[in-house]
Amino acid sequence: RFGVVEGGAEGSNVTFDDIGGHEMAKRELIEALEFVRDAEKVKQLGIRPLRGILLAGPPGTGKTMMARAAAGYTDAAFLVASGSQFVEMYAGVGAQRVRELFRKARALARERKSRTAVIFIDELEVLGGQRGRHTSHLEYDQTLNQLLVEMDGMVRTPDVQVLVIGATNRMDLLDSALMRPGRFDRIVRVDLPDREARLQILKIHCRHRPLAPDVDLESIARETFGFSGAHLEAVVNEAAIAALRAGRDRLEQADLREAVDKVMLGERLDRRPPA
Ligand code: ATP
């Protein structure tokens, strides 16, 4: 039920170099991951092991990419889940799934002879919303409580350290218990990219595409205020489709300009011109 992505240099196909912008966020995340890599030293100094990192920011800004890059960086077993996978109408099922997820993470780490497992939970607010606020709140509360128990209980499995990376675009909805020390006590902001970051993201997505000499990514970066990384990826992809339709073998500036308008309008990307 939960996705398993192999960690390690060969396993995870995303590295921090594939992520444009977010310099601060990357630095913070890498610093936190050094903790995980140096588990022995951390223990020796009596530092509390890091258990949770929260990536907070709007949709499509690269939170999932960050988590994948993190898994590769630590050579950890990596599991992906989404908050909505834990929402069930039957009492106890959500909590059971949380238990299962952590058990699977530890087993996978042992199998891979790794000391660390990373669990990425997208849409954390669905699972970790404030307790007592839902109509079927007993079930939600049990699920969240189980997550807290698993995060607190990690000391009891000293051979495997589980790091939970949560992602949310609604941090305001999270139960405050999740933010307590020893839980998600590192918050990394992953915001919309500024002009410089947009340029970097465009360059990343144009890396393996043939560009005509008139292409000016700086001007595209200037025009795309408010776009997320996902929007920018769509712009480049849409421009490539336009070039293909025009029978050209490289992208021109006009393709990119039109693609910006299209993405901005949120048009269906596969709409064909009238016959
Ligand atoms: P959501 O909150 O909707 O789950 P997210 O923040 O997890 O979104 P991702 O799934 O990581 O976003 O990004 C979606 C796609 O957008 C990526 O696969 C990538 O192609 C592109 N993308 C987003 N941000 C960046 C970035 N900073 N650099 C390069 N590509 C990016």
Side-chain angles (χ1 to χ4, degrees):
R1 184 180 304 119
F2 306 112
V4 176
V5 179
E6 292 293 308
E10 335 85 62
S12 174
N13 49 10
V14 178
T15 71
F16 284 112
D17 290 338
D18 298 319
I19 305 172
H22 301 321
E23 294 312 325
M24 215 12 210
K26 281 194 241 179
R27 216 168 319 127
E28 282 178 57
L29 190 55
I30 289 173
E31 190 196 280
L33 294 169
E34 297 290 353
F35 260 61
V36 178
R37 288 222 290 208
D38 281 339
E40 279 308 314
K41 220 186 276 171
V42 165
K43 203 164 119 191
Q44 208 180 14
L45 287 169
I47 299 171
R48 173 162 40 75
L50 183 66
R51 307 205 179 127
I53 300 175
L54 185 66
L55 303 177
T61 44
K63 296 184 290 299
T64 308
M65 288 183 96
M66 292 276 248
R68 280 177 190 262
Y73 191 82
T74 54
D75 199 18
F78 188 65
L79 271 91
V80 187
S82 168
S84 50
Q85 286 174 290
F86 301 92
V87 179
E88 279 295 331
M89 44 196 279
Y90 300 108
V93 175
Q96 177 61 34
R97 286 195 185 149
V98 171
R99 256 196 304 275
E100 192 191 317
L101 175 65
F102 278 77
R103 202 182 309 127
K104 194 164 165 187
R106 287 185 207 106
L108 192 68
R110 287 184 191 115
E111 207 178 283
R112 289 172 46 92
K113 303 205 182 334
S114 168
R115 292 182 51 89
T116 322
V118 174
I119 294 178
F120 176 61
I121 306 179
D122 203 1
E123 299 182 287
L124 185 68
E125 72 280 0
V126 180
L127 157 63
Q130 286 149 24
R131 283 172 288 185
R133 278 187 52 171
H134 297 277
T135 23
S136 61
H137 67 84
L138 196 65
E139 164 58 4
Y140 274 94
D141 295 359
Q142 279 183 7
T143 310
L144 176 55
N145 281 338
Q146 190 59 40
L147 176 65
L148 299 176
V149 165
E150 292 288 345
M151 291 184 80
D152 292 345
M154 280 161 206
V155 265
R156 278 182 263 125
T157 53
D159 63 322
V160 178
Q161 193 192 337
V162 183
L163 173 70
V164 185
I165 302 183
T168 185
N169 40 47
R170 291 299 308 270
M171 209 167 77
D172 55 312
L173 294 182
L174 293 182
D175 194 292
S176 59
L178 276 171
M179 314 298 229
R180 260 181 234 142
R183 292 166 183 171
F184 290 99
D185 52 5
R186 291 250 171 166
I187 297 168
V188 176
R189 298 263 351 154
V190 183
D191 284 315
L192 285 174
D194 60 13
R195 188 170 52 80
E196 188 49 41
R198 291 197 296 277
L199 178 61
Q200 272 187 41
I201 296 171
L202 287 166
K203 281 185 180 164
I204 288 170
H205 289 286
C206 285
R207 245 182 338 205
H208 305 297
R209 305 191 203 236
L211 302 181
D214 75 328
V215 167
D216 175 11
L217 294 180
E218 294 209 9
S219 85
I220 302 293
R222 259 196 312 274
E223 285 170 35
T224 44
F225 176 82
F227 278 44
S228 68
H231 285 129
L232 295 169
E233 190 274 336
V235 165
V236 176
N237 191 56
E238 193 51 27
I241 293 172
L244 179 81
R245 281 199 190 131
R248 281 185 267 103
D249 56 7
R250 48 191 191 174
L251 278 74
E252 295 181 355
Q253 183 71 357
D255 298 325
L256 287 159
R257 283 251 43 252
E258 268 169 44
V260 169
D261 293 344
K262 246 187 184 174
V263 171
M264 215 177 298
L265 285 170
E267 280 196 0
R268 293 267 319 145
L269 300 183
D270 58 355
R271 202 158 86 183
R272 278 155 215 274

